[in-house]
Amino acid sequence: MEVIKGYVEQLILDFFEEKEEGILDLSYKEAVLIKKAICNTVKGVRVVYKKRIEIKDSVISELTFFEADFEGGLTISNSVIGSFRLMDCCHYQEPIIIRNCIFTGDIDFKGATFNYDIVIENCIFLKGHNFIQDIEYPKGVSRPEFFKVKL
């Protein structure tokens, strides 16, 4: 498990391992915990996260995941987040949980596809949100019980 604490200007959660010449493994097989951190930018692009990504008790100005697959799920709790983007992301077996957070910037889930629960509880969105319209479910999988919002 990778643990990040304290101040970090930029944290890039991209992990590439070359399996053979010209063939990359874009999977990250360890859990990541960002706890009690102050970060300007946290980004992850085109990575398959096999284990849970957890962010708690932190302040992050920009949190962006683009074309990331959260096979192990994602948890964000007790944090202040500026802009938050889960663009063209997927998740499969574990829930995405966002709990007790304050979001001060734009929220963008455009093109995100979810095959399992997304739980958003007790959060404050200072600029509003449009994630209900942004989230897509694969054909035949769109079930309202997946999306649990309690503001």
Side-chain angles (χ1 to χ4, degrees):
M1 174 183 290
E2 183 169 343
V3 179
I4 289 79
K5 290 184 178 182
Y7 177 78
V8 178
E9 177 63 29
Q10 186 172 12
L11 180 60
I12 306 297
L13 297 176
D14 294 345
F15 306 97
F16 304 98
E17 181 180 342
E18 191 166 352
K19 291 292 186 183
E20 298 174 26
E21 190 172 325
I23 298 175
L24 296 177
D25 180 1
L26 305 178
S27 300
Y28 189 67
K29 297 166 185 70
E30 299 208 19
V32 175
L33 173 60
I34 300 171
K35 180 180 179 182
K36 295 184 180 179
I38 299 172
C39 300
N40 190 33
T41 304
V42 177
K43 290 185 180 181
V45 178
R46 295 186 180 135
V47 177
V48 177
Y49 299 103
K50 297 289 188 180
K51 303 282 183 169
R52 183 163 290 279
I53 304 291
E54 186 171 0
I55 300 168
K56 61 193 234 179
D57 306 322
S58 295
V59 177
I60 300 172
S61 296
E62 177 189 349
L63 178 59
T64 300
F65 290 98
F66 180 70
E67 293 183 2
D69 292 349
F70 297 98
E71 291 184 4
L74 170 69
T75 299
I76 305 170
S77 62
N78 304 319
S79 295
V80 177
I81 309 290
S83 64
F84 178 43
R85 292 175 179 83
L86 285 181
M87 297 177 63
D88 297 319
C89 293
C90 299
H91 93 290
Y92 303 101
Q93 296 115 357
E94 296 294 326
I96 289 180
I97 300 168
I98 303 169
R99 186 175 283 136
N100 302 322
C101 292
I102 298 172
F103 294 90
T104 63
D106 295 324
I107 308 295
D108 191 351
F109 284 18
K110 192 165 286 171
T113 303
F114 297 100
N115 296 315
Y116 204 77
D117 290 345
I118 178 165
V119 178
I120 301 172
E121 294 181 335
N122 302 318
C123 292
I124 297 170
F125 299 92
L126 295 179
K127 288 188 79 174
H129 59 79
N130 62 350
F131 52 74
I132 294 172
Q133 291 84 18
D134 287 349
I135 293 175
E136 299 173 8
Y137 292 96
K139 187 175 181 179
V141 181
S142 180
R143 296 190 293 202
E145 65 268 22
F146 281 168
F147 194 68
K148 300 169 178 144
V149 178
K150 182 178 173 183
L151 301 176

